[in-house]
Amino acid sequence: MAGDAFAEWKRREELAEAMIPIIGQLYRQHDVSILVHSRSLVNKSAVGILKAHRFVRQIEETELAIEDSYPILKTVSEMNLAPSRIDIGHLAMAFKNDDRGLSAEEFTREAVKDAIAADGAGQPPARDVVLYGFGRIGRLLARLLIEKTGSGNGLRLRAVVVRKGGENDLAKRASLLRRDSIHGLFNGTIHVDEENETIIANGNEIKIIYSGDPTSIDYTEYGIKDAVLIDNTGKWRDSEGLSQHLRPGISKVVLTAPGKGDVKNIVHGVNHETLGENDKILSCASCTTNAIVPPLKALNDKFGVEYCHVETVHSFTNDQNLLDNYHKGNRRGRSAPLNMVLTETGAASAVAKALPELTGLVTGSSIRVPTPDVSMAMLNVTLKEGTTRDELVDHLRNVSLSSTMQRQIDVTASTETVSTDFVGSRAACVVDAEATIVQGNHAVVYLWYDNEFGYSCQVIRVVQHITGVLYPKYPQA
């Protein structure tokens, strides 16, 4: 039996290895991303591809066989597709449930026929992106933008604006991009061009602009035009302050913190469609807001939400002190690595900006804990309509599989998961199915979220949307 199991593993590994060049060619030549249940297979190893197939059992309660997805990938590779995202996992599962007697090739060609490139249609031009600030979120955004360069016709990271920290500033910033204590090594190569003050990452030339005053920069001097600037400093949070970024070469400004005043707070998957061409300044809200709004919407749509209290157990952040010292905020001056720190959260009040129908129905508080990344939100919900645990979990699972919030909500059914298991999660939140409690119209839903990486993925999705490079996904929800 052991020999049979190993032989089976080698056979499946061989299929995964055969997938790698096909996936790479589709991505780099045609901007077609291959997914398995919303998880990208681009730049994955053979083992990574097999693990993505294995993970499907957490959602579908059955493992996806690579033998089922491989012929679908082969068919996709033979079609002349426009830039798009093709989920071979969803296609394979849908094919299993199809009773029309079609072959895998026939089924696939029919399911993705709308993704075929129109005659004479070219790929859209690349869109420039500038990062203002290069801290925790800024560097993760840089990694994601570099990862998603594809054929070069999508988003292109052109520059980073920072204040100069010293003589070795460029080398140190490149080193921080290259090595991360939480998220590991950068996936690729990084070269520093000191003479031109440029970091070259996987062929992407990123100009480092040293400035502490946004009004002093003319981005067109660096060949940057019609760019989206992502402000991840949090220094300015209202329209007046953020409008300083609307300089020559910059057409839109995105804030990676809750916006104030008339700044729209956007949670991708929930209210990003409310954005119009005239919205020049917008906010991606907070990591916690992005984690709780999608499942709250899902629960409200199905059962109705009468009231919800959100308690977040949040990893400490740079805003806190390593050792006890003065801090303008209550309790945040106490040592972050040594204490649980009870503090406030603006996420509950921010819900109303993304889901106006829940205005006044959500309260919240937060406990900062001595972990560097991955947080948890507990939704203590009073529903208008009573339900059962199985019905509620099945609803959230279905939303994660076949709704417009596929990329926001994920589900885990494991009884052994802990916070570090979710480092690098690209979902806005992951529902812990086994921890869910339901009694009539009262429910407690536990949500894991990588408050750094998952949030950064949400920011990139918003930027992709406002620039028109968020390519359609097939099969469509």
Side-chain angles (χ1 to χ4, degrees):
M1 289 296 292
D4 291 342
F6 184 60
E8 175 68 11
W9 167 261
K10 288 196 296 181
R11 189 181 62 79
R12 294 171 65 232
E13 190 176 35
E14 185 178 6
L15 274 179
E17 289 168 347
M19 282 183 162
I20 293 173
I22 301 173
I23 294 167
Q25 186 176 40
L26 284 168
Y27 183 61
R28 269 164 273 285
Q29 294 187 10
H30 305 286
D31 275 326
V32 173
S33 297
I34 300 300
L35 318 172
V36 165
H37 279 53
S38 297
R39 285 169 169 77
S40 174
L41 298 187
V42 176
N43 290 326
K44 292 291 190 295
S45 65
V47 172
I49 291 172
L50 290 173
K51 287 179 70 175
H53 282 70
R54 174 74 171 160
F55 186 83
V56 172
R57 78 192 193 283
Q58 294 276 3
I59 303 171
E60 296 271 18
E61 298 181 346
T62 180
E63 186 172 348
L64 172 63
I66 197 168
E67 296 86 349
D68 295 332
S69 64
Y70 182 77
I72 289 174
L73 176 64
K74 285 286 291 181
T75 300
V76 166
S77 71
E78 295 163 0
M79 301 172 69
N80 180 30
L81 299 184
S84 54
R85 295 174 292 132
I86 309 297
D87 197 316
I88 61 173
H90 284 150
L91 285 169
M93 289 299 185
F95 176 61
K96 275 188 172 183
N97 296 324
D98 189 80
D99 58 2
R100 292 174 295 168
L102 300 176
S103 67
E105 179 180 356
E106 291 169 334
F107 178 86
T108 302
R109 289 187 179 275
E110 179 183 286
V112 300
K113 62 183 178 182
D114 291 340
I116 296 175
D119 291 340
Q123 291 180 312
R127 188 69 178 270
D128 292 348
V129 178
V130 173
L131 295 177
Y132 197 92
F134 209 43
R136 296 297 303 151
I137 299 301
R139 292 194 297 274
L140 289 178
L141 291 173
R143 286 188 173 201
L144 285 165
L145 287 165
I146 294 163
E147 171 195 296
K148 295 178 182 296
T149 302
S151 68
N153 293 314
L155 300 176
R156 293 296 299 272
L157 176 58
R158 296 294 307 282
V160 174
V161 182
V162 291
R163 291 182 176 180
K164 194 162 190 175
E167 290 184 5
N168 296 324
D169 185 275
L170 192 64
K172 285 183 175 293
R173 293 189 189 277
S175 180
L176 285 168
L177 179 61
R178 185 181 290 115
R179 304 174 182 87
D180 190 285
S181 300
I182 296 169
H183 301 283
L185 293 173
F186 174 77
N187 188 22
T189 63
I190 291 175
H191 170 67
V192 176
D193 182 348
E194 292 278 4
E195 183 178 351
N196 295 302
E197 295 184 329
T198 299
I199 295 173
I200 303 171
N202 290 1
N204 292 265
E205 297 182 12
I206 307 163
K207 177 68 177 179
I208 304 300
I209 302 172
Y210 292 107
S211 175
D213 178 10
T215 64
S216 67
I217 308 170
D218 182 345
Y219 292 94
T220 60
E221 293 180 355
Y222 304 97
I224 296 169
K225 60 181 181 179
D226 194 26
V228 175
L229 182 145
I230 307 175
D231 185 329
N232 53 88
T233 67
K235 185 175 180 180
W236 304 280
R237 293 170 59 184
D238 58 14
S239 294
E240 182 181 0
L242 293 168
S243 64
Q244 298 177 87
H245 292 305
L246 293 172
R247 302 286 299 156
I250 304 297
S251 59
K252 290 184 183 291
V253 178
V254 175
L255 171 66
T256 62
K260 294 183 178 180
D262 61 352
V263 176
K264 287 186 177 180
N265 282 251
I266 301 300
V267 174
H268 192 271
V270 176
N271 68 334
H272 65 279
E273 296 288 356
T274 64
L275 290 169
E277 186 59 34
N278 293 328
D279 289 311
K280 305 296 184 185
I281 298 173
L282 60 110
S283 159
C284 289
S286 70
C287 56
T288 301
T289 304
N290 276 265
I292 66 177
V293 165
L296 275 174
K297 174 174 170 52
L299 293 175
N300 191 52
D301 288 348
K302 175 73 172 178
F303 308 105
V305 171
E306 193 171 284
Y307 171 74
C308 177
H309 178 75
V310 181
E311 188 78 41
T312 67
V313 179
H314 199 291
S315 294
F316 61 75
T317 66
N318 273 332
D319 173 67
Q320 295 170 257
N321 293 331
L322 287 175
L323 296 173
D324 289 1
N325 208 345
Y326 173 81
H327 193 293
K328 64 181 180 180
N330 294 337
R331 310 183 206 240
R332 292 198 186 191
R334 302 300 298 278
S335 172
L338 297 177
N339 294 291
M340 292 189 292
V341 179
L342 184 64
T343 185
E344 71 282 348
T345 176
S349 59
V351 168
K353 285 197 171 186
L355 281 178
E357 58 267 37
L358 295 186
T359 300
L361 302 182
V362 182
T363 58
S365 55
S366 179
I367 304 170
R368 296 289 181 93
V369 294
T371 56
D373 186 32
V374 179
S375 301
M376 172 181 280
M378 294 167 281
L379 305 182
N380 195 324
V381 189
T382 301
L383 303 169
K384 293 180 180 178
E385 178 184 320
T387 183
T388 64
R389 176 189 171 280
D390 288 347
E391 184 183 13
L392 188 145
V393 169
D394 284 346
H395 172 62
L396 292 176
R397 181 179 286 112
N398 289 334
V399 169
S400 77
L401 284 171
S402 56
S403 80
T404 56
M405 295 189 290
Q406 288 179 10
R407 304 175 82 192
Q408 283 68 49
I409 300 176
D410 207 345
V411 177
T412 179
S414 172
T415 58
E416 298 297 331
T417 51
V418 293
S419 61
T420 55
D421 296 325
F422 300 96
V423 172
S425 170
R426 294 176 183 243
C429 71
V430 182
V431 177
D432 195 317
E434 291 301 310
T436 301
I437 301 169
V438 179
Q439 289 187 334
N441 66 334
H442 295 284
V444 182
V445 181
Y446 291 82
L447 309 168
W448 299 98
Y449 59 107
D450 185 328
N451 48 279
E452 294 185 336
F453 196 74
Y455 175 69
S456 296
C457 289
Q458 282 287 87
V459 174
I460 294 297
R461 289 165 192 147
V462 171
V463 175
Q464 288 176 319
H465 173 72
I466 63 177
T467 56
V469 298
L470 183 59
Y471 302 133
K473 179 175 179 289
Y474 299 92
Q476 295 183 336

